[in-house]
Amino acid sequence: MLDDEEVPNYHEDDVQEARKLVEEMDDSALISDVLDKRPSSSETIENVIIVDNIPVTDSSKLVKLTNVLLKIFSKCGKVETHHIPLDDNQKTKGFMFIVYRNGQEATNAISSCNGYKLDKNHCFAVNRLSDFEHCMSIPDKWEDPKPEPYKPQANLKSWLCDPECFDQFAIVHGKNRNTAVHSCGPNQSISVQQREFWTESHVKFSPKGSYLATCHKQGIALWGGPEFSKVGRFNHPNVTYFQFSPCERYFVTYSKTSLSPEDPQNLIIWETRSCLNKRAFSLPVLNYWPYFKWSHDGQFFATITGDNLSIYSTPSMKLLDNKKISVQNIRDFSWCPCENWIAYWQSENKNIPARVTIMDVPSCEPLSAKNLFNVSNIEIFWQNSGNYLAVKVDRTIKNKKEASENVFEIFRLREKDIPVENFEIKSKVMSLSWDPKGPRFAVIQGEQGRTDVSFFKIGEKILPIGKTLSNKKCNCIKWSPLGQYCVLAGLNNISFDGVLEFWDIGGDAPTLMNEASHFMVTNIAWDPTGRYVCSSNTYGGHSVENGYNMWNFQGSKVFEASLEGFIQFQWRPRPPCLLKENESKDIKKNMKSYTRDFEIKDKLSQSKASKELIEKRRAVYDEFMTYRRKKEKDLEVLKLQYSELRTEIVEEEYVEETVEFFMKEEVEPASKE
């Protein structure tokens, strides 16, 4: 360090040379370490969005307007900075700039707030800043885009083209999560596809059977087509729960861990076909599923948030009318299976009674309501056709806190003014289940281990069907998808001995068709056509005799399979039938004319030799039909060539000839007169 009295002796040429050196050096040489950390323009511009159609106000209301806008857009991510331009009169110009931390948060803001209605006069239009630059860079001269080569997609409905009309099911078993898809034949299953490590936990078919979803650490994969090729992937690590919308257009995934500290969303709604993120939510750890309940057509989905019912519409994924519906003390709700109606119930609060309400969506107008008193709990049961709604009301008897009685309120939705009928059962009701196709329902009542089963039919009044079935070893009733037939089973209970009873409820009294057993049965599942029903014993409950048994609807065992480490069984659903009701009735009416053909096919399929013969005949038939179609095309070409060679139109002359030939001679004796 120099003293104050010492003055350095610099030559003037040295100073000039130093200045010249500094002038020649650029920033990259002087502050290269700082510039390396500078984000590129492409990175920063992706974080910026432009919000159009904000209110035009003067500077006196600017602070209030800014707070309102930031409150809306802060839900999509952390706002780093913002700017609202003003004109010469110090009024807002109707748009603003918002900068987020990353491009994903900007994407969330665009998907969530584009089209957001601030009020009746202002609807936001949200775009990325880079989109404007792209529009400005469009060349003046139009160039035709190059067509991309066609890539055939897998036929997601190919399994419906099975000539035998066999239904398919999926099973998961073993340490390697062996996953297989089988067809259910009349006496055995036929393997369609089988793979190891196809999933890491379980699988799920979509509601119409188009997709098979498998769960992995990295996310969810979708499979479809004849060979179950991969048709989609949802990149959401450590998924805990997932579900399809009823229309299959959307897919919901939930993980207990967020994607990253900067992106706390852990529930994502995807578009199934494109696998695009349509809406994301940040939720606490869930111990129940599903979080969202969908309407039958996938047009709406809803959930309960505090004392509010939040209904979202698709495809915007925004709240209905941009607001939640305030419902004090709401406890549960359920969508109608065939109409956009919601039934929800509210618990009692001081002097306010409990209440059940049926509401139309999207008008949010109540269709019917019923006040209830001394209520401890309520359960809602819709009939599949939406004609009836059963509300099971558990009432606490006065002076006996532990005792309760069960009352059912039956809403007749299709009748004028929606009358409500009261129906009481004195003993404890364990479960209620509707016949999917008729105005019948079944009730299991009594205590665990000693239960009675009653069937009822709704007409002008609610009347019992026959006598109550007493002392039944069951805790579950599974109806056939076509109605009329049901199975009584005792699930997950060793004291029931796995008893299965197959009943026909189509007559004036229940008819027992057959009684069987499946030791330690844990689940009962009907196939979509109502031909077969499967009883399974999964590894999740215990490790004794794991596997499944296949029965026909009358209770006769078709085949069985024992599988070590058996985890899951699921039928592949079918899409809704395209036939009209009168066409279905005609088929049922003429069923006897088809019976003989079906019986012949069943007999031929019972032996291996018959199967080989059928396959050989089918191969010969297919070969002949291919040859015939080829010759028909050749004939059409020859006809065209022949017509071109003929210069004049010649009328064809037809000569009618009668040919007689000897067939048979019969001699009849002359009658005696």
Side-chain angles (χ1 to χ4, degrees):
M1 188 173 180
L2 298 174
D3 297 335
D4 295 338
E5 296 179 357
E6 296 181 357
V7 178
N9 186 15
Y10 294 116
H11 194 274
E12 185 175 352
D13 294 338
D14 295 336
V15 174
Q16 293 295 334
E17 186 176 353
R19 289 177 178 175
K20 185 178 179 181
L21 180 63
V22 171
E23 290 175 356
E24 292 177 351
M25 295 179 64
D26 56 6
D27 292 343
S28 60
L30 294 173
I31 51 173
S32 59
D33 57 336
V34 176
L35 293 179
D36 290 341
K37 299 178 181 179
R38 180 179 61 181
S40 64
S41 59
S42 61
E43 292 177 347
T44 55
I45 201 171
E46 293 297 321
N47 304 351
V48 184
I49 63 172
I50 301 177
V51 185
D52 283 310
N53 301 329
I54 67 172
V56 177
T57 61
D58 54 27
S59 57
S60 62
K61 298 180 181 179
L62 181 60
V63 176
K64 184 177 180 181
L65 175 63
T66 302
N67 292 335
V68 171
L69 296 175
L70 291 180
K71 183 178 180 181
I72 296 172
F73 286 91
S74 295
K75 296 178 181 179
C76 306
K78 184 178 180 181
V79 177
E80 293 289 334
T81 183
H82 65 279
H83 175 63
I84 301 179
L86 303 178
D87 60 14
D88 296 337
N89 298 324
Q90 296 301 304
K91 289 186 177 182
T92 59
K93 293 184 177 181
F95 63 91
M96 71 178 297
F97 299 90
I98 297 178
V99 182
Y100 285 100
R101 292 177 298 180
N102 52 57
Q104 181 60 44
E105 292 182 352
T107 302
N108 295 339
I110 294 172
S111 61
S112 301
C113 299
N114 187 36
Y116 182 91
K117 291 184 179 180
L118 183 65
D119 53 44
K120 62 180 181 179
N121 297 322
H122 298 90
C123 181
F124 294 157
V126 186
N127 295 278
R128 204 184 299 269
L129 182 59
S130 59
D131 295 339
F132 285 87
E133 290 197 351
H134 174 70
C135 294
M136 297 299 294
S137 62
I138 295 177
D140 296 334
K141 187 178 180 181
W142 166 257
E143 293 183 2
D144 293 333
K146 296 181 180 179
E148 296 183 1
Y150 173 72
K151 295 181 180 179
Q153 300 292 325
N155 181 9
L156 301 179
K157 304 296 183 183
S158 59
W159 59 283
L160 295 174
C161 300
D162 180 8
E164 303 297 337
C165 299
F166 289 163
D167 281 290
Q168 294 183 356
F169 60 87
I171 56 174
V172 182
H173 63 94
K175 295 181 180 179
N176 297 337
R177 289 295 193 269
N178 298 324
T179 304
V181 178
H182 292 266
S183 289
C184 182
N187 52 15
Q188 65 177 356
S189 64
I190 304 169
S191 178
V192 177
Q193 196 71 228
Q194 187 168 354
R195 302 174 191 175
E196 288 188 355
F197 303 106
W198 200 354
T199 183
E200 296 180 15
S201 58
H202 62 288
V203 300
K204 177 179 271 188
F205 279 113
S206 59
K208 296 180 181 179
S210 303
Y211 304 97
L212 176 67
T214 58
C215 188
H216 308 271
K217 186 176 181 181
Q218 298 84 0
I220 303 296
L222 293 185
W223 311 82
E227 302 299 327
F228 284 91
S229 56
K230 185 182 289 187
V231 295
R233 183 181 65 178
F234 304 106
N235 186 17
H236 191 181
N238 303 316
V239 169
T240 308
Y241 305 114
F242 60 90
Q243 71 172 146
F244 287 92
S245 67
C247 61
E248 296 185 346
R249 289 195 297 267
Y250 305 103
F251 191 81
V252 186
T253 58
Y254 167 78
S255 175
K256 292 185 179 180
T257 57
S258 58
L259 295 175
S260 65
E262 296 181 354
D263 191 7
Q265 284 88 356
N266 55 355
L267 187 146
I268 303 176
I269 300 178
W270 311 80
E271 187 177 53
T272 307
R273 184 174 290 272
S274 64
C275 297
L276 294 177
N277 182 338
K278 302 297 291 183
R279 181 73 189 269
F281 298 85
S282 179
L283 301 176
V285 176
L286 298 178
N287 295 319
Y288 63 93
W289 191 255
Y291 179 75
F292 287 115
K293 296 180 182 180
W294 290 82
S295 62
H296 76 286
D297 56 1
Q299 189 175 356
F300 305 98
F301 58 97
T303 187
I304 295 175
T305 53
D307 285 341
N308 299 299
L309 180 61
S310 301
I311 304 177
Y312 298 82
S313 61
T314 61
S316 66
M317 301 296 168
K318 296 180 177 62
L319 282 169
L320 192 62
D321 296 331
N322 291 321
K323 62 181 180 180
K324 300 177 182 179
I325 303 173
S326 178
V327 184
Q328 294 295 321
N329 303 313
I330 184 172
R331 291 295 174 262
D332 195 12
F333 73 96
S334 179
W335 286 95
C336 175
C338 60
E339 302 283 352
N340 286 332
W341 300 336
I342 277 184
Y344 63 85
W345 73 278
Q346 304 161 258
S347 62
E348 291 181 295
N349 185 18
K350 297 181 180 179
N351 295 328
I352 302 176
R355 186 177 178 86
V356 175
T357 305
I358 303 173
M359 181 178 69
D360 176 69
V361 178
S363 67
C364 298
E365 295 292 332
L367 302 176
S368 182
K370 177 78 173 180
N371 290 334
L372 303 166
F373 299 90
N374 301 324
V375 174
S376 60
N377 188 43
I378 287 178
E379 294 181 61
I380 298 171
F381 302 92
W382 282 99
Q383 192 220 20
N384 281 18
S385 60
N387 294 335
Y388 307 100
L389 172 68
V391 177
K392 176 176 171 287
V393 184
D394 296 339
R395 285 181 173 166
T396 303
I397 301 176
K398 295 180 179 180
N399 301 325
K400 294 182 181 181
K401 296 183 179 180
E402 296 182 357
S404 63
E405 62 177 355
N406 298 119
V407 179
F408 289 91
E409 304 288 343
I410 308 295
F411 290 76
R412 299 173 181 256
L413 277 302
R414 306 294 183 183
E415 298 183 17
K416 186 178 179 181
D417 298 329
I418 309 181
V420 183
E421 189 170 352
N422 185 278
F423 179 70
E424 293 188 13
I425 296 180
K426 295 299 181 182
S427 58
K428 180 181 178 181
V429 174
M430 298 175 60
S431 68
L432 179 144
S433 58
W434 284 98
D435 181 340
K437 296 294 183 180
R440 296 181 286 255
F441 64 92
V443 174
I444 299 179
Q445 52 190 318
E447 299 294 335
Q448 192 74 17
R450 185 180 179 182
T451 57
D452 300 334
V453 180
S454 302
F455 296 94
F456 299 89
K457 185 174 183 179
I458 300 180
E460 294 182 0
K461 296 182 179 180
I462 301 176
L463 300 174
I465 302 176
K467 297 181 179 179
T468 299
L469 309 179
S470 303
N471 298 326
K472 292 297 175 183
K473 295 181 178 181
C474 71
N475 56 9
C476 174
I477 300 177
K478 292 289 185 179
W479 288 90
S480 164
L482 301 183
Q484 183 175 343
Y485 305 104
C486 67
V487 178
L488 307 185
L491 305 182
N492 300 300
N493 194 321
I494 193 171
S495 63
F496 288 153
D497 301 326
V499 174
L500 305 175
E501 295 185 359
F502 297 80
W503 289 84
D504 179 2
I505 319 298
D508 296 331
T511 303
L512 178 63
M513 297 185 293
N514 196 14
E515 184 175 347
S517 65
H518 185 176
F519 180 68
M520 298 296 288
V521 60
T522 58
N523 188 40
I524 298 290
W526 284 87
D527 81 323
T529 61
R531 291 179 292 183
Y532 301 103
V533 58
C534 176
S535 60
S536 57
N537 176 3
T538 57
Y539 182 77
H542 39 75
S543 58
V544 181
E545 297 184 12
N546 297 141
Y548 64 92
N549 293 348
M550 194 67 66
W551 316 81
N552 64 17
F553 74 99
Q554 294 174 323
S556 299
K557 184 183 289 188
V558 179
F559 59 87
E560 61 181 310
S562 298
L563 299 171
E564 184 178 355
F566 182 53
I567 299 170
Q568 184 186 6
F569 179 98
Q570 187 189 12
W571 287 102
R572 187 173 193 173
R574 284 179 174 266
C577 181
L578 299 178
L579 294 176
K580 298 179 181 179
E581 187 176 354
N582 58 344
E583 294 174 336
S584 298
K585 288 182 179 179
D586 290 340
I587 293 175
K588 293 179 181 179
K589 184 178 180 181
N590 301 321
M591 185 61 71
K592 290 183 178 180
S593 61
Y594 311 120
T595 303
R596 186 173 178 274
D597 295 336
F598 294 150
E599 289 177 350
I600 293 173
K601 284 187 176 182
D602 290 342
K603 289 179 180 179
L604 290 175
S605 63
Q606 290 176 0
S607 65
K608 184 177 181 181
S610 299
K611 290 181 184 178
E612 293 177 353
L613 179 62
I614 291 172
E615 291 176 359
K616 185 177 180 180
R617 287 178 177 176
R618 183 175 295 161
V620 173
Y621 175 77
D622 293 340
E623 183 181 357
F624 169 75
M625 292 304 295
T626 303
Y627 176 79
R628 175 170 178 165
R629 284 191 291 268
K630 180 178 179 300
K631 290 303 178 183
E632 286 176 348
K633 291 181 180 178
D634 294 342
L635 180 61
E636 292 296 328
V637 173
L638 290 174
K639 283 183 177 180
L640 182 61
Q641 294 175 354
Y642 178 67
S643 62
E644 291 176 353
L645 292 173
R646 297 179 65 179
T647 56
E648 298 180 359
I649 300 176
V650 180
E651 294 184 1
E652 302 250 357
E653 295 183 1
Y654 296 94
V655 179
E656 183 177 350
E657 295 182 0
T658 303
V659 180
E660 297 181 0
F661 56 91
F662 180 76
M663 290 287 294
K664 187 178 180 182
E665 181 180 359
E666 292 184 0
V667 179
E668 295 184 2
S671 59
K672 296 180 180 181
E673 295 182 357

